[in-house]
Amino acid sequence: MLRFHAPVATISLWMARIGGLMLVGSAVVITIEILARKAIHIPFSVGTELSSYALAISASWSFSYALLNRAHVRIDVIRNWTPPGIRFGLDVLALGTLGAVALILAWFAWDTVYASWELGARENTSLGTLLVIPQGLWFAGLVWFALVCVEQLGCVAMALMRGDGAAASAIVTTPDVADEIEEALDAADAQPVIPR
């Protein structure tokens, strides 16, 4: 693996956790907003705006974590019927394509962020949020995702140059049913046994 792989995984994990906390926070704000409207008749309407920002940011911040944990959904109908060499090639192609899509998304997101910055654009709501803030956080997640895709492709290339096909395959191959069963059994074994 490349020497900066562990920091990449740690940063991706923390970004995903922060994204999850944003979603929980937006659920709390929406709940408070609903209760305030129903119980004490206070017109309060920031939950929709904040939750839309939280959803976009948390999604982009979680992409890299999902990639590192091989959790992105693939349609494996054709892939599963191919020999291992072709399957590995398809997996590398999928990772490369995902990286290309991430770069394209980041490129166009930058146009949005830059336009908002130049215009000093604000949301047309009671909060009047400077749009460059949530858009910039969303853009940062997309850039990180693109960098992690490139890093993973670099890890595959380094493993292949070392002649370690198993390590290269472990990076790009999605888990199959046997892998998922083994992971579930390992998780069950790790649970403490409580005597009755």
Side-chain angles (χ1 to χ4, degrees), residues 49-68:
E49 179 181 355
L50 294 177
S51 64
S52 64
Y53 300 149
L55 181 61
I57 294 165
S58 66
S60 73
W61 283 29
S62 300
F63 289 157
S64 60
Y65 179 76
L67 173 67
L68 293 174

Side-chain angles (χ1 to χ4, degrees), residues 69-174:
N69 287 283
R70 304 180 309 167
H72 285 287
V73 176
R74 293 188 199 175
I75 301 171
D76 291 338
V77 174
I78 296 171
R79 179 193 169 274
N80 291 340
W81 291 344
T82 60
I86 294 173
R87 188 176 307 158
F88 176 75
L90 289 173
D91 289 337
V92 172
L93 177 65
L95 179 59
T97 304
L98 190 61
V101 168
L103 287 169
I104 291 167
L105 285 172
W107 178 268
F108 284 103
W110 171 248
D111 286 345
T112 303
V113 172
Y114 185 72
S116 293
W117 174 264
E118 287 287 306
L119 296 171
R122 291 185 172 273
E123 185 70 57
N124 189 15
T125 61
S126 58
L127 289 179
T129 306
L130 272 173
L131 288 176
V132 74
I133 296 169
Q135 289 172 354
L137 293 170
W138 168 64
F139 169 70
L142 292 174
V143 168
W144 182 251
F145 178 46
L147 290 173
V148 171
C149 287
V150 170
E151 185 262 349
Q152 290 292 282
L153 285 169
C155 287
V156 170
M158 295 293 284
L160 290 175
M161 285 191 284
R162 285 192 318 263
D164 191 354
S169 183
I171 294 168
V172 295
T173 303
T174 56

Side-chain angles (χ1 to χ4, degrees), residues 26-45 47:
S26 66
V28 168
V29 168
I30 289 172
T31 302
I32 291 169
E33 182 178 299
I34 291 169
L35 292 174
R37 268 194 244 142
K38 296 293 181 188
I40 51 180
H41 306 292
I42 295 177
F44 187 131
S45 62

